[in-house]
Amino acid sequence: MRLAKFLAHAGVASRRAAEDVVRAGRVTVGGEVITDPARDVDATSGVAVDGRMLEGPEERVVVALNKPSGVVSTARDTHGRRTVVDLVDLPGARLYPVGRLDVDTTGLLLLTNDGELAERLLHPRYELPRTYRARVAGGRLSPRALRALREGVELEDGRTAPAGVREVRAGLLELTLREGRKRQVKRMCDAVGHSVQALERTRFGPLDLRGLASGRWRRLTPAEVERLRA
Ligand code: URA
């Protein structure tokens, strides 16, 4: 298999990030530095990253976390803050988050050591629906504001795709988006004059938060992983 793919399967990074790791000269195969991500390797080739031998594909796991506020969703934080990876105590698995939630956003976040799956879940082509509950300022939305959110609002990085939007009650919206731009829900709500005061993601594709208290995580079952892949 291609070297970058091998690294992704081994949990080093996503496939694209693994290509950069290879090009940076950090990978050796049988003791020789290889900078071609397409080099053909297998578990017997002796692949090492930064001098550390990889043992071939580690068991692939996908974890669902109910992210609390105040925790960053990167694998490592340069300011020493607590990360979502710190919350998942799963020895031996090098997990990284599938996409990001803002530090003050709570709710469902997946983590995995399966770089290929992570990349697919985030790829715009698959338009995986993500559902959010947003507490917003300004009371009830006008029919016009609701229509704008549903049909698309103009943001500085372009118009948003059609979204499912329901006003659960005054000041509480449920939005289902099929794209995942940075701070998208907050920017959409700002654009119609209702700033977000609290944001929770309740669904990601076929998964929801049921049974998962804040700060808790669980491994997905093989059937759930299959449904995600589908
Ligand atoms: N939209 C946002 O504004 N923030 C998030 O964390 C996720 C979606």
Side-chain angles (χ1 to χ4, degrees):
M1 111 179 25
R2 285 165 52 95
L3 179 54
K5 185 173 180 180
F6 182 89
L7 295 174
H9 283 190
V12 170
S14 72
R15 182 119 47 119
R16 242 174 271 149
E19 290 181 0
D20 293 337
V21 171
V22 175
R23 290 200 189 95
R26 293 168 53 193
V27 177
T28 55
V29 177
E32 184 193 346
V33 174
I34 300 296
T35 54
D36 174 13
R39 171 66 65 96
D40 192 41
V41 295
D42 61 30
T44 66
S45 307
V47 178
V49 179
D50 298 330
R52 190 175 56 82
M53 224 32 187
L54 298 182
E55 320 228 307
E58 75 182 36
E59 185 199 3
R60 308 223 204 147
V61 289
V62 187
V63 161
L65 168 73
N66 186 347
K67 177 192 169 303
S69 182
V71 178
V72 292
S73 44
T74 47
R76 240 166 280 120
D77 184 56
T78 46
H79 297 90
R81 289 176 296 186
R82 213 149 59 114
T83 76
V84 289
V85 172
D86 297 332
L87 296 181
V88 180
D89 175 27
L90 195 64
R94 280 158 302 182
L95 299 176
Y96 43 96
V98 178
R100 294 197 178 167
L101 292 176
D102 299 334
V103 65
D104 58 349
T105 298
T106 61
L108 184 57
L109 181 69
L110 299 186
L111 297 98
T112 184
N113 57 356
D114 184 339
E116 214 177 329
L117 178 64
E119 220 159 86
R120 273 180 48 190
L121 293 176
L122 294 174
H123 200 287
R125 178 168 17 126
Y126 298 109
E127 299 187 338
L128 206 72
R130 299 125 161 130
T131 300
Y132 298 87
R133 283 206 160 200
R135 193 150 54 72
V136 295
R140 282 216 175 276
L141 270 70
S142 67
R144 188 182 160 160
L146 278 172
R147 190 167 358 104
L149 288 176
R150 288 181 182 131
E151 293 177 359
V153 293
E154 223 38 80
L155 300 178
E156 74 265 16
D157 52 356
R159 195 182 168 85
T160 59
V165 181
R166 188 167 72 90
E167 192 171 45
V168 180
R169 58 172 181 271
L172 183 64
L173 296 179
E174 186 174 81
L175 304 94
T176 300
L177 310 188
R178 291 177 176 271
E179 51 184 353
R181 303 190 219 161
K182 204 171 157 72
R183 298 187 66 253
Q184 183 167 347
V185 172
K186 292 176 186 166
R187 290 190 294 136
M188 287 172 70
C189 292
D190 272 342
V192 297
H194 292 262
S195 64
V196 170
Q197 299 175 323
L199 185 62
E200 178 183 47
R201 182 157 68 191
T202 57
R203 295 190 67 93
F204 186 91
L207 301 166
D208 62 33
L209 270 179
R210 237 173 304 167
L212 212 53
S214 175
R216 305 305 289 258
W217 60 275
R218 66 178 181 85
R219 270 184 80 152
L220 298 190
T221 64
E224 286 173 319
V225 175
E226 266 326 296
R227 261 192 289 149
L228 262 185
R229 280 186 202 286

